[in-house]
């Protein structure tokens, strides 16, 4: 069994980038991985003069509030260590970066999407589809994947419904290739094998109750800020290079869709993704 811990960064009133990313952990590595992250978080929170709570990476790395009492270089080193630990020993990152402007255009283009105008559900279902695609291709895979999200009371029920009901619209994101009459073709999915690599409901947890959800928040912030800096000026000298260095750590372990059939779902995500994000 595997667990993927997912969080997002970038509300609509904060810019044009929405990132949702997750860290996958094998069940047999879960206890040690959690302990390693717990120790790092406890150490950094021990230097915070306020009440221990959720890391909130944006506030932390920018030195907001009481975090300004922790030296900037120490905060930068900490975030780098979190990224390194996340992908250590084969850790995999799953995610999507959407542009709000491009998302609106893609919605209007009429790709038949089943998630109304919810970018949160669009992101979560893409991550679920990506997990499905990658795990169905793992030889001798043992067990299913559990999807654990930072709690979103408004959308969690919709996400669980999306995974359970398995709309055929998402098929193109994780279709397999096979042979029929000697020709290579995309094989049709059936209700029983849609999202068959994921427990058929999603679980929510408060981020301050799980160090791994806080790590997912950190990864989402790193991806988001890196993309923002493609068009925004630096907040300080060397900021762009700093985030590029973190991306160089994460990107080799980020899973991508790869080859897909030309279906409406694929066209939608290609249209809605941030220009700097390869799906």
């Amino acid at each position: 069994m595997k667990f993927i811990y997912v969080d997002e960064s970038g509300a609509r009133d904060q810019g044009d980038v929405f990132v949702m990313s997750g860290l996958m952990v094998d069940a047999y590595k879960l206890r040690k991985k959690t302990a390693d992250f717990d120790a790092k978080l406890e150490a950094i929170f021990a230097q915070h003069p306020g009440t221990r709570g959720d890391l909130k990476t944006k506030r932390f790395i920018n030195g907001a509030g009481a975090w300004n009492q922790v030296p900037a270089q120490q905060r930068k080193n900490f975030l780098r260590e979190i990224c390194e630990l996340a992908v250590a020993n084969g850790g995999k990152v799953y995610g999507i970066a959407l542009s709000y402007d491009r998302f609106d255009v893609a919605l209007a283009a009429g790709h038949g999407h089943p998630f109304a105008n919810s970018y949160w559900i669009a992101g979560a279902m893409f991550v679920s589809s990506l997990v499905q695609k990658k795990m169905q291709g793992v030889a001798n895979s043992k067990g299913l994947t559990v999807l654990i999200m930072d709690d979103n009371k408004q959308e969690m029920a919709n996400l669980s419904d999306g995974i359970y009901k398995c709309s055929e619209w998402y098929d193109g994101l994780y279709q397999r290739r096979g042979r029929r009459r000697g020709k290579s073709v995309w094989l049709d999915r059936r209700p029983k094998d849609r999202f068959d690599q994921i427990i058929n409901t999603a679980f929510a947890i408060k981020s301050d109750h799980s160090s791994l959800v806080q790590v997912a928040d950190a990864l989402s912030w790193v991806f988001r800020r890196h993309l923002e800096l493609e068009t925004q000026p630096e907040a300080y000298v060397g900021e762009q290079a700093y985030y590029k260095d973190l991306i160089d750590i994460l990107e080799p372990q980020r899973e991508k869709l790869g080859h897909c059939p030309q279906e409406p779902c694929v066209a939608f995500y290609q249209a809605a993704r941030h220009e700097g994000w390869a799906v």
Side-chain angles (χ1 to χ4, degrees), residues 175-193:
Q175 273 182 280
R176 295 175 180 266
R177 289 197 71 87
R179 300 193 71 81
R180 285 180 181 162
R181 298 176 182 176
K183 295 183 178 181
S184 178
V185 297
W186 292 105
L187 301 176
D188 293 335
R189 305 299 304 217
R190 295 168 296 174
K192 69 178 183 179
D193 65 14

Side-chain angles (χ1 to χ4, degrees), residues 94-156:
Y94 292 73
I96 183 70
L98 300 171
S99 157
Y100 289 117
D101 289 343
R102 288 164 60 93
F103 181 84
D104 288 343
V105 172
L107 287 179
H111 295 288
H113 47 82
F115 44 77
N117 61 350
S118 173
Y119 55 84
W120 195 93
I121 291 295
M125 290 302 293
F126 179 89
V127 171
S128 301
S129 299
L130 186 57
V131 169
Q132 169 69 29
K133 179 162 189 174
K134 296 303 176 180
M135 296 314 299
Q136 70 189 9
V138 175
N140 301 317
S141 178
K142 297 180 180 179
L144 302 176
T145 300
V146 180
L147 190 65
I148 302 173
M149 312 288 296
D150 182 24
D151 195 12
N152 183 323
K153 291 179 173 56
Q154 182 176 351
E155 295 284 24
M156 279 304 299

Side-chain angles (χ1 to χ4, degrees), residues 52-68:
R52 190 211 187 286
D54 194 352
L55 182 64
K56 299 299 183 188
T57 310
K58 179 180 178 180
R59 290 180 53 80
F60 166 78
I61 196 63
N62 290 331
W67 283 119
N68 65 12

Side-chain angles (χ1 to χ4, degrees), residues 63-96:
W67 283 119
N68 65 12
Q69 298 183 42
V70 177
Q73 189 59 51
Q74 187 175 353
R75 284 183 268 118
K76 291 167 69 176
N77 291 344
F78 174 82
L79 187 54
R80 180 187 175 88
E81 291 170 4
I82 289 295
C83 292
E84 290 173 336
L85 183 55
V87 298
N89 300 316
K92 295 295 183 182
V93 178
Y94 292 73
I96 183 70

